[in-house]
Amino acid sequence: MTGKTAPPAKKPAPAAAKKKAAPAPKEKAAPAPKEEPAPKQESAPAPKEEATPKEEATPKEEVAPAPAAEEPPAPAEAAPTPPEAGAEAPPAPAEGSPAPPAEPPAPEPEPQPEKPKEEPPSSPLSLVVEEVSENSFTLTWKAPEHTGKAGLDGYVVEICKDGSSEWKAVNQEPFLSTRYTIPNLSSGDKIHVRVTAVGAGGSSAPATLEQPVLIREILQLPKIRMPRHLRETYVRHVGDAVNIMIPFQGKPQPEVTWTKGGQPLDKSRINIRTTARDTIFYIRQAQRGDSGQYQLCVSIGGTEDKAILDIQVVEPPGPPQNLKLVDVWGFNVALEWSPPADNGNAEIKGYRVQKSDKKSGKWFTVLERCTRTSCTISDLIIGNSYSFRVFSENSCGLSDSAAVTAGLAHIEKTKTTYQPEKIPQRDMMEPPKFTQPLTDRTTTRGYSTHLFCSVRGFPQPKIIWLKNQMEIREDPKYIALINQGVCSLEIRKPGPFDGGVYTCKAINALGEASVDCRLDVKVPK
């Protein structure tokens, strides 16, 4: 009797546990009779598997009352002794059987730590073809709107030939540039293209071109557009910088090569920079050794265009050689010299000859750009002594020094006797003759007027002026002049009474001659 009374005292403990763990089965646990365990023994193996992971404590407390009927001390250690309670163990799961199905949602909170998954970026925008050549094409696009918190790792470009379903990535690793050139394609192929953005959350949906890209040959023949001033010899002075830009055209990108005498250029002295449209030839400080013909070749495949750049670097020439004072006669001097040993890498354009009087010591230029290597200097002053010097000149200017005569040229007085030439006497006597007659004139009252005529004769004839056949004597109203046979009569502020016939008469020992004219004086109304 004592053994049976002990277990009921412990029954409230499992009931309290049941209230906490699963309040729903309370009503089922109270009325559950002990006669029903037999049919549930067949389902005992199933609850055993479910009870092992997380509800071992609950069944252990429920199993305790069953063995208590036979062995009172066992309730405290009922959990580890299932051999005898094997037949009675099923009732405990029967009472707790509703609990296992209610507990499966419990594992749902476990995936919560895995939630910080990054969303993939959105698709790239505005995918377009920028340029197509015979074996490549260039794509451009814009970054996607959403790149994620970690940002983009880059982009992957994939291509697929028209008629095929196999996409192939053209870049091994993602890149961040929004421009990409796909090389090594065959002319005539049609290529489908798509671009995918790659981020920490994965890859975006690809941005795809609607139409395939046709790889076609776009060929523009190579041509050099040589500037006009470079078509002739390009002249620079020693020490000057040479900076020349020569544009060209051609598509696809032509190959540009520079040579001098068939050999590559000396890169230590000459810098070449080539872009898609021009090439720049640059020398920091030109030397005479940089002179020569440079050949520029622009080629595409087997087609090419060539141009010659002729550069001449010059400096002032050296002085003439062997200047000699050849002869001195009267007030003249003859000089001779030889061309300079160094022409300064340019043609000698001429020579400048200067003289210096021993008295003054100053130099004066007597000849410029003398093209010969000899000259004669005249108009020297008799009694003076002169020295001479000669400069050579090229396109760069005069030589730094000059060749000077070794001695002086003395212009001495010569003893000469003047003998006048005997000229036969000739009769120069001639009667007066008017070569230019008087002409009729019309003047206005108050305006002075002149009458002109010309006369010749020897001896010089006497001139008499008459008005209406009356000689004009010393009258301040009239001024008569004769100069080199030209006779003039000025009538000062004539009035109506000054009109009439004027006569000019010339008289000498051999005869006389006369001319006349009419003068009309108008009175303004």
Side-chain angles (χ1 to χ4, degrees):
M1 294 296 289
T2 54
K4 289 181 183 178
T5 52
K10 292 182 182 179
K11 279 183 183 179
K18 286 180 185 179
K19 283 180 183 180
K20 290 181 183 179
K26 261 186 183 182
E27 297 175 0
K28 292 180 183 179
K34 290 184 181 179
E35 296 176 358
E36 294 178 357
K40 290 187 178 180
Q41 283 179 358
E42 298 174 1
S43 59
K48 278 184 183 178
E49 292 178 2
E50 294 177 359
T52 50
K54 292 186 180 179
E55 295 191 1
E56 291 179 357
T58 309
K60 281 177 186 178
E61 292 177 359
E62 293 174 357
V63 172
E70 297 176 359
E71 296 178 3
E77 296 177 358
T81 58
E84 295 178 0
E88 295 179 359
E95 292 176 359
S97 58
E103 290 179 1
E108 290 182 0
E110 292 181 359
Q112 286 181 357
E114 298 178 359
K115 272 190 178 179
K117 282 188 177 179
E118 197 67 42
E119 292 184 1
S122 59
S123 300
L125 304 174
S126 305
L127 177 62
V128 294
V129 178
E130 183 181 73
E131 184 179 4
V132 180
S133 69
E134 60 180 341
N135 55 12
S136 66
F137 65 91
T138 301
L139 299 170
T140 60
W141 61 89
K142 294 181 181 179
E145 291 183 359
H146 305 289
T147 59
K149 295 181 181 179
L152 287 179
D153 293 339
Y155 301 95
V156 175
V157 180
E158 296 177 295
I159 61 173
C160 175
K161 287 189 177 181
D162 191 29
S164 173
S165 59
E166 182 182 354
W167 288 91
K168 181 181 178 182
V170 294
N171 57 313
Q172 296 180 356
E173 296 182 0
F175 59 90
L176 291 174
S177 174
T178 57
R179 186 177 186 273
Y180 189 78
T181 299
I182 303 175
N184 304 325
L185 300 175
S186 300
S187 180
D189 286 350
K190 291 184 178 180
I191 306 295
H192 295 272
V193 185
R194 67 185 185 187
V195 179
T196 305
V198 180
S203 300
S204 70
T208 308
L209 288 176
E210 295 181 0
Q211 299 294 331
V213 181
L214 175 61
I215 308 302
R216 63 186 184 279
E217 183 178 5
I218 302 176
L219 182 63
Q220 184 180 24
L221 293 177
K223 184 173 181 60
I224 300 172
R225 298 189 176 278
M226 183 69 76
R228 186 182 300 275
H229 70 281
L230 297 178
R231 297 176 188 175
E232 301 178 354
T233 302
Y234 184 71
V235 180
R236 302 298 291 172
H237 295 172
V238 171
D240 289 353
V242 178
N243 191 2
I244 298 172
M245 183 181 72
I246 301 176
F248 59 83
Q249 67 183 25
K251 200 170 185 182
Q253 177 66 35
E255 181 182 356
V256 178
T257 55
W258 283 89
T259 56
K260 181 182 180 183
Q263 300 297 324
L265 302 184
D266 182 6
K267 294 185 178 179
S268 62
R269 291 202 45 76
I270 303 172
N271 297 318
I272 301 295
R273 185 179 67 83
T274 301
T275 65
R277 297 181 179 179
D278 54 50
T279 179
I280 296 177
F281 181 98
Y282 179 72
I283 302 176
R284 187 176 297 276
Q285 289 184 336
Q287 301 297 330
R288 286 176 60 170
D290 297 325
S291 302
Q293 290 188 342
Y294 296 83
Q295 186 179 54
L296 171 62
C297 179
V298 177
S299 61
I300 302 175
T303 307
E304 62 182 19
D305 189 22
K306 294 182 179 180
I308 299 297
L309 174 62
D310 191 1
I311 297 178
Q312 185 177 7
V313 183
V314 301
E315 61 183 345
Q321 295 179 314
N322 306 321
L323 178 60
K324 296 178 182 178
L325 189 62
V326 178
D327 194 10
V328 180
W329 74 99
F331 42 79
N332 306 303
V333 170
L335 300 174
E336 284 185 358
W337 60 88
S338 301
D342 181 12
N343 63 358
N345 200 32
E347 180 184 359
I348 299 297
K349 292 186 175 182
Y351 301 91
R352 180 175 294 184
V353 183
Q354 294 181 339
K355 68 178 181 180
S356 175
D357 188 351
K358 186 179 179 180
K359 293 180 180 178
S360 66
K362 296 180 179 180
W363 291 98
F364 299 93
T365 300
V366 291
L367 287 175
E368 287 188 355
R369 294 282 179 95
C370 177
T371 56
R372 296 175 297 170
T373 56
S374 62
C375 69
T376 299
I377 301 173
S378 303
D379 300 329
L380 300 176
I381 299 175
I382 294 176
N384 288 354
S385 297
Y386 293 90
S387 60
F388 301 90
R389 67 181 184 185
V390 180
F391 292 90
S392 53
E393 184 178 3
N394 65 3
S395 59
C396 195
L398 294 175
S399 57
D400 296 332
S401 58
V404 185
T405 53
L408 297 175
H410 302 284
I411 310 302
E412 298 178 353
K413 294 180 179 180
T414 55
K415 296 180 180 180
T416 56
T417 303
Y418 175 71
Q419 294 180 352
E421 184 181 356
K422 294 182 178 179
I423 301 174
Q425 295 293 329
R426 182 179 176 181
D427 187 6
M428 303 295 292
M429 305 296 285
E430 183 182 6
K433 182 180 178 182
F434 283 93
T435 57
Q436 181 67 35
L438 293 171
T439 57
D440 295 342
R441 294 182 63 84
T442 301
T443 186
T444 305
R445 176 182 178 181
Y447 289 89
S448 298
T449 187
H450 293 78
L451 303 177
F452 294 97
C453 61
S454 299
V455 66
R456 73 181 184 187
F458 190 82
Q460 183 176 352
K462 178 182 177 182
I463 302 301
I464 300 173
W465 286 92
L466 300 95
K467 175 189 173 185
N468 297 329
Q469 301 301 322
M470 294 189 64
E471 183 177 354
I472 299 173
R473 297 185 179 275
E474 296 180 359
D475 188 342
K477 192 174 186 65
Y478 301 96
I479 300 176
L481 298 173
I482 182 170
N483 183 18
Q484 300 292 329
V486 177
C487 306
S488 65
L489 177 66
E490 179 183 0
I491 306 169
R492 303 177 66 187
K493 296 182 179 181
F497 57 90
D498 291 319
V501 177
Y502 286 82
T503 303
C504 180
K505 183 181 290 186
I507 303 171
N508 69 0
L510 299 179
E512 65 179 38
S514 63
V515 291
D516 52 28
C517 68
R518 174 173 289 280
L519 176 65
D520 294 330
V521 180
K522 292 183 177 181
V523 179
K525 295 181 180 180

